[in-house]
Amino acid sequence: MKYVQTDNWPASGYTESEWRGIPVMCDNEKIVWMQMLPHHGFWACRWNADGSFEGRIFNLSWTTSYGQEQGQRFGIRWQVTSDGKYIYGYCASYHYGSGIMGCCVRVSDGKMLYEHQNDSTYGFHLCPRGKSDWFCSRSVNSDGGSGLYHICHDNKRRFAQEGDTGHLHSHTSWLTQMIDTAYYSTSYPGIVPMMYNTSLFNDTTGAGLSMEDYDTIHG
């Protein structure tokens, strides 16, 4: 799929900005398009169910950043929660792979919250947690403190608190406890997500329970 338009789109001259976008087809028939523009930043736009173009929703920029043409470890990335209700498209905000910018889309209605952390030193990470949440972290090259900073992020709560196009705040308020990483030692921790069998979230009793009922019953 190729996307080219003229809504103040800062073309970078790299094919990453045309060919490696992330489309999200929402339950209410809206369509969201997210992409990285190398050496500029992150771009997202949205169409309504009737086909009308809402235009640019996010244009996040900071400094030099690399697309996949500069290496497979660069370029835009995406994650989806285990229940498929949220999709997060993001890229590094600095060319060595540090910082993060992007947005999270609620698939039910196309509501979007953004993230923008300018950091030229440390890597930022993201993976699914539980049914519909994120585990977010920042790995610090530390010879005198905690190596892994992390936060467990409640998407349902955050989307209820923020209006459309608000700030997700997914990579703030770091914790340094609970996860055993080397202290006072240079460390580069990684994340290996363990995916759920989503049938565990569905009704198997014949009572017609929804996934929201599962939340109520099981806390």
Side-chain angles (χ1 to χ4, degrees), residues 16 90 105 118 169 173 200 219:
E16 170 97 22
Y90 60 98
V105 180
N118 292 337
H169 291 293
S173 302
L200 298 175

Side-chain angles (χ1 to χ4, degrees), residues 57-70:
I57 306 299
F58 295 118
N59 179 15
L60 309 177
S61 181
W62 184 40
T63 186
T64 301
S65 56
Y66 292 158
Q68 198 170 66
E69 289 154 293
Q70 281 75 46

Side-chain angles (χ1 to χ4, degrees), residues 113-125:
L113 301 182
Y114 79 93
E115 186 56 77
H116 194 173
Q117 296 289 330
N118 292 337
D119 189 317
S120 62
T121 305
Y122 302 129
F124 287 63
H125 315 287

Side-chain angles (χ1 to χ4, degrees), residues 93-107:
S93 61
Y94 187 67
H95 62 283
Y96 290 121
S98 303
I100 188 171
M101 57 177 68
C103 74
C104 183
V105 180
R106 187 167 62 187
V107 177

Side-chain angles (χ1 to χ4, degrees), residues 42-105:
F42 177 90
W43 178 275
C45 57
R46 188 167 56 190
W47 285 263
N48 293 309
D50 62 5
S52 59
F53 182 51
E54 286 190 54
R56 178 193 68 200
I57 306 299
F58 295 118
N59 179 15
L60 309 177
S61 181
W62 184 40
T63 186
T64 301
S65 56
Y66 292 158
Q68 198 170 66
E69 289 154 293
Q70 281 75 46
Q72 292 186 355
R73 66 186 183 278
F74 301 117
I76 196 166
R77 296 288 187 267
W78 62 276
Q79 293 279 2
V80 60
T81 56
S82 293
D83 61 4
K85 290 187 175 182
Y86 300 90
I87 294 177
Y88 200 144
Y90 60 98
C91 62
S93 61
Y94 187 67
H95 62 283
Y96 290 121
S98 303
I100 188 171
M101 57 177 68
C103 74
C104 183
V105 180

Side-chain angles (χ1 to χ4, degrees), residues 18-46:
E18 295 183 0
W19 295 103
R20 297 194 68 240
I22 300 169
V24 181
M25 293 177 284
C26 302
D27 297 341
N28 63 351
E29 299 185 355
K30 286 192 174 187
I31 296 177
V32 173
W33 175 265
M34 299 178 284
Q35 63 186 144
M36 179 190 185
L37 307 178
H39 305 304
H40 177 79
F42 177 90
W43 178 275
C45 57
R46 188 167 56 190

